[in-house]
Amino acid sequence: MNRDLESLKAPLPSERPDLWPWSAKHDGQLHLGGRSAESLVASFGSPMYVLDEADLMGRATVWATVMAEEFWDGYGMGGGSAYFAAKAFMSARVVELVTSAGMGVDTASLGELTLALRAGADPNMVGLHGNNKSDEELRLAISAGDAGIARIVIDSMDEIDRVAAIAKELGRKARVMIRVTTGVHAGGHEFIATAHEDQKFGLSLSTGQALEAAREIAKRESLDFVGLHAHIGSQIRELDAFAESASRLLGLMGTLHEEGIECREVDLGGGYAITYTGEDPEAMSPKDIARTLAGAVRTACEEMGLKVPHISIEPGRSTVGPSVVTLYTVGTVKEVPLEGGSRLYVSVDGGMSDNIRPALYDAKYTALLANRTSKEPLVLSRVVGKHCESGDIVVTEVALPADIRAGDILAVPATGAYGHTMSSNYNMLTRPGTLGVGMGEPKWVVYPETLSDLFARDAALSPEK
C-alpha cells in the first residue's frame, strides 16, 4: 500500500513522555497505573477515560507550590495561589485531589459550584465566573461558608446591582472581582481567545468600563472589592502576552489606588498550553511560567510605586490535560484511495461524543496501538468515530501499523481537559466513564452512563417524575 508519510515525521507518541501521565509505560503494550490497557478494557470496557490520580495530584501540587514560592511575601510580593479551572474536568474526586494539593477551585455554573462545595472545597478558595449568572448561583456563592466564596467575578455593570442586592438580602458582604478585557488576546483558535473586545466576557479596559465598575462596587456597602481578573485565551505557548496583560491590569490597579480604592488581588487567568502530538513543542514548565509572571508583576509594581498584590492564576488544562488517556477499541478498518496514494480509516467505538474538540476547534491529537507490538510498516491513518457525521474525527493524521485490525486498542493521550466535560449523547451514545488509576486499585471516578441513564429523562419511557 502506497501512503505518503511525509507529514508524519514527528516523533511517535511512544517517544514523547510529555504526552502521557507519569505512570504510563510502553513495553510493547501501554500500561497505565501499573495495569495494561488491554486488561483495563477487558475489565471495564471501552471507550473509557483513564485518569492517573497520582499524576493529577502531582501536577496540582506543582502549580500550588510554584505560585507560593515565586510570589512569597518574603520577596516583598503579596503571595500567590492557583485555582483549578473546573470546566476542564469536574468531579468530586478531582476536587478532592486538587484541593488536597493546595489549589483552589474556579467554577462557572451552579452545577460546578455546588459540586465543589459538596466535595469539600473550602469556600475561601472557590471562585465563580460567568457572563450570565443566575440568582440561584449568586445566592449559593454568597451564602456558602462563614463569608461566602472567595470571589464572584463580575462580568457586567448590571451584575453589580444584582450581586449587591442579593448580598444585602442575605445579610452578607459579597467578595467580588472584575473581569477585565485588557485588549491582549492569544490562543490557537478565535473562540478560545477571550480578551479581545468583540466577545461576550468582561468589561473593557480601553473604554473605561472596568474603571467605572470598580467605582460602582466601591459605593456598595454589601460588596467587598477584592481585585481584578483577566483571561486572555487558551493553549498559549508564549508568556509575553500574559506579561503584557498583567502590566495593563496593574496599570488599572494604580489608577484605583490613586482614587483610594484598594485592589488586594490580581488574577492573571489560565490558558497555558500542553502537548497533544509529537509535532508540538515541549510545554512551558509551571516554574518558568510562575517565575516569568512574578518578574513582570514585580517590575510593573516598582515602576508605578505600588505594593505587589496577591497574584492568582487559573490553570485547568495544564493541570488535568495530560493526566487522562482515552482508550478505544477498533472496529472497522478500511483503505480509502487518495490522489497519489491512500489513507487507512480506523473506526473506534467512540468519537465526537467523547471528544468534541477536533470537530469544534480542529484540535489535533495522536494515537498509539496500545495492546500489542507490530512489525508491519507504519501507514498514513485517520482515526474516526462511529457517529453519523463525516466530521467525526478523533485523530486527523497518525502513523499506525498496517496490520491494525478489529479488536485492537488505541490510546489517545492528553484528553483530560474537556473530554469528559464536553461529552454528549449524540446519536444516543452513552457517555464513557472515567476510571481512576495510580493510587491503589482501579476504581470509577465517574461511572459510565447506561442506557437506563440515557432514557431516564424520556417522559414516554420513564415513570412520571
Side-chain angles (χ1 to χ4, degrees):
M1 287 182 288
N2 178 26
R3 294 193 176 87
D4 179 12
L5 292 174
E6 286 300 312
S7 62
L8 299 176
K9 288 186 175 179
L12 296 172
S14 58
E15 299 169 342
R16 289 290 301 265
D18 53 336
L19 288 171
W20 304 93
W22 292 347
S23 69
K25 300 185 185 306
H26 189 260
D27 56 3
Q29 286 196 45
L30 177 67
H31 291 73
L32 299 167
R35 295 281 298 272
S36 71
E38 187 173 39
S39 69
L40 291 175
V41 170
S43 298
F44 299 98
S46 73
M48 168 176 54
Y49 306 112
V50 180
L51 166 66
D52 185 329
E53 296 182 326
D55 181 271
L56 172 58
M57 191 167 183
R59 293 177 193 275
T61 301
V62 169
W63 274 120
T65 300
V66 298
M67 288 301 294
E69 289 179 349
E70 295 301 321
F71 290 93
W72 181 50
D73 56 10
Y75 292 151
M77 306 292 266
S81 57
Y83 283 70
F84 174 66
K87 66 178 184 176
F89 180 17
M90 187 62 162
S91 80
R93 178 61 172 160
V94 167
V95 171
E96 178 186 346
L97 291 169
V98 299
T99 56
S100 295
M103 293 186 83
V105 182
D106 170 60
T107 68
S109 72
L110 181 62
E112 288 182 359
L113 178 58
T114 301
L115 180 53
L117 296 172
R118 289 187 183 180
D122 180 357
N124 291 305
M125 285 293 287
V126 173
L128 177 65
H129 276 282
N131 65 299
N132 188 28
K133 304 178 190 71
S134 69
D135 286 356
E136 190 175 5
E137 289 165 347
L138 293 174
R139 284 195 173 88
L140 176 59
I142 295 167
S143 63
D146 295 331
I149 65 171
R151 67 260 192 107
I152 297 169
V153 184
I154 296 290
D155 202 89
S156 65
M157 297 299 292
D158 291 346
E159 198 171 65
I160 296 172
D161 291 331
R162 290 180 56 232
V163 176
I166 292 172
K168 184 176 180 180
E169 170 194 326
L170 295 173
R172 288 286 181 95
K173 194 163 188 174
R175 293 178 280 186
V176 300
M177 300 183 83
I178 297 170
R179 176 147 180 174
V180 182
T181 49
T182 60
V184 179
H185 54 96
H189 190 281
E190 178 186 357
F191 292 162
I192 56 177
T194 55
H196 55 82
E197 301 291 347
D198 190 11
Q199 51 93 26
K200 71 176 187 176
F201 292 112
L203 291 158
S204 170
L205 176 63
S206 63
T207 65
Q209 281 184 324
L211 176 59
E212 183 59 27
R215 290 168 175 163
E216 289 299 316
I217 290 169
K219 297 175 184 176
R220 306 299 201 277
E221 292 185 0
S222 59
L223 298 182
D224 175 16
F225 178 59
V226 174
L228 305 170
H229 176 285
H231 182 75
I232 63 174
S234 294
Q235 193 59 2
I236 303 168
R237 297 191 177 279
E238 301 295 336
L239 286 172
D240 291 350
F242 288 105
E244 177 60 25
S245 182
S247 177
R248 295 186 188 188
L249 281 178
L250 292 167
L252 176 56
M253 175 180 142
T255 300
L256 294 173
H257 179 75
E258 292 173 358
E259 296 189 11
I261 301 173
E262 181 186 8
C263 179
R264 306 192 301 270
E265 181 172 347
V266 171
D267 191 296
L268 302 179
Y272 314 111
I274 66 169
T275 303
Y276 283 102
T277 75
E279 295 179 334
D280 288 342
E282 186 175 347
M284 299 175 291
S285 74
K287 184 74 171 179
D288 289 342
I289 292 169
R291 181 157 293 177
T292 299
L293 294 178
V297 168
R298 183 186 290 110
T299 297
C301 286
E302 286 176 353
E303 290 176 352
M304 291 182 280
L306 297 172
K307 179 181 177 182
V308 178
H310 186 91
I311 299 294
S312 53
I313 58 172
E314 296 169 351
R317 181 200 313 257
S318 54
T319 306
V320 74
S323 300
V324 176
V325 176
T326 304
L327 299 180
Y328 299 101
T329 299
V330 174
T332 301
V333 178
K334 65 180 177 182
E335 186 177 359
V336 175
L338 305 173
E339 184 178 349
S342 61
R343 193 197 311 273
L344 198 66
Y345 272 71
V346 181
S347 298
V348 296
D349 54 352
M352 62 193 301
S353 59
D354 58 71
N355 189 355
I356 191 63
R357 295 188 69 253
L360 194 62
Y361 301 132
D362 194 29
K364 305 303 181 186
Y365 288 83
T366 191
L368 174 73
L369 178 60
N371 60 300
R372 63 182 177 90
T373 302
S374 172
K375 296 182 180 180
E376 292 296 309
L378 298 175
V379 297
L380 181 66
S381 306
R382 176 166 290 172
V383 181
V384 297
K386 61 181 294 174
H387 294 282
C388 191
E389 292 282 346
S390 58
D392 179 24
I393 297 171
V394 178
V395 181
T396 305
E397 285 191 333
V398 63
L400 293 173
D403 65 345
I404 193 164
R405 56 185 179 261
D408 279 335
I409 298 168
L410 286 184
V412 176
T415 55
Y418 309 106
H420 165 78
T421 55
M422 296 179 78
S423 62
S424 74
N425 295 124
Y426 184 48
N427 284 153
M428 303 216 80
L429 266 68
T430 54
R431 290 173 292 183
T434 299
L435 189 73
V437 301
M439 297 181 77
E441 289 298 308
K443 57 187 180 301
W444 289 115
V445 171
V446 178
Y447 290 117
E449 199 170 34
T450 66
L451 287 177
S452 295
D453 297 328
L454 184 60
F455 298 148
R457 294 173 61 237
D458 192 308
L461 297 179
S462 301
E464 188 173 334
K465 291 186 178 182

